[in-house]
Amino acid sequence: MKLWIAMLFAIGLLIPAGITAEEKSASHKSRHAAVLSALQSEPNIASVYARGACCPSCAIGIRIKISKLDFVDRKRFSRGVRLDSKHELVHVAIQPDHSADVSLIGQAIVDAGYDPVSAHTLIEGKLVTTSLKKR
């Protein structure tokens, strides 16, 4: 019984009453700025907006799935993956002389239980965004 009370108390601290999921989620503008900042500051990465990936423990399952992909540079970040939980962004380090297969990254995120919305890469200095929503 004490365990249940402690769990409910912890949940109450994490999710204050009256705040909806939309209010906790970063705005499109702030997420876009975070994507650009990450892509411009780190060479050879892809960033994916993964709806629902909003806490450090989310990174565990995502990291397990993505780090198995052949083109991921597991020597960077944490086994090739860094989660920006504030913006629900998954940054994936790509090996030199390889390119990111954003559809495989998206499928790995689905396999981890999250909803990949869009992938972002820089190609010749220009932001390229690919929708990952299932039609």
Side-chain angles (χ1 to χ4, degrees):
M1 180 71 166
K2 289 181 183 179
L3 179 62
W4 282 104
I5 292 170
M7 287 173 55
L8 290 172
F9 179 74
I11 290 170
L13 290 176
L14 294 174
I15 306 172
I19 297 177
T20 65
E22 290 80 26
E23 291 170 323
K24 290 189 324 182
S25 182
S27 71
H28 175 74
K29 186 176 180 178
S30 70
R31 185 176 296 111
H32 182 78
V35 164
L36 279 176
S37 175
L39 293 175
Q40 291 171 342
S41 66
E42 292 282 345
N44 300 333
I45 69 167
S47 294
V48 176
Y49 167 32
R51 190 180 351 238
C54 58
C55 70
S57 63
C58 297
I60 296 168
I62 291 171
R63 184 175 297 113
I64 289 168
K65 299 295 184 181
I66 289 178
S67 67
K68 294 178 183 178
L69 300 174
D70 291 338
F71 54 84
V72 174
D73 186 350
R74 293 172 216 36
K75 295 176 185 171
R76 293 174 52 205
F77 304 148
S78 179
R79 294 181 58 206
V81 178
R82 182 179 70 209
L83 176 69
D84 173 352
S85 57
K86 177 181 178 183
H87 298 102
E88 299 175 282
L89 293 171
V90 178
H91 303 295
V92 181
I94 310 302
Q95 291 183 31
D97 301 323
H98 286 75
S99 59
D101 184 332
V102 294
S103 64
L104 288 177
I105 294 172
Q107 186 58 54
I109 291 170
V110 167
D111 293 346
Y114 298 91
D115 181 19
V117 177
S118 56
H120 313 276
T121 54
L122 279 183
I123 297 178
E124 297 178 5
K126 299 206 186 279
L127 179 64
V128 176
T129 299
T130 306
S131 175
L132 297 174
K133 293 179 186 178
K134 299 291 182 191
R135 301 190 197 286

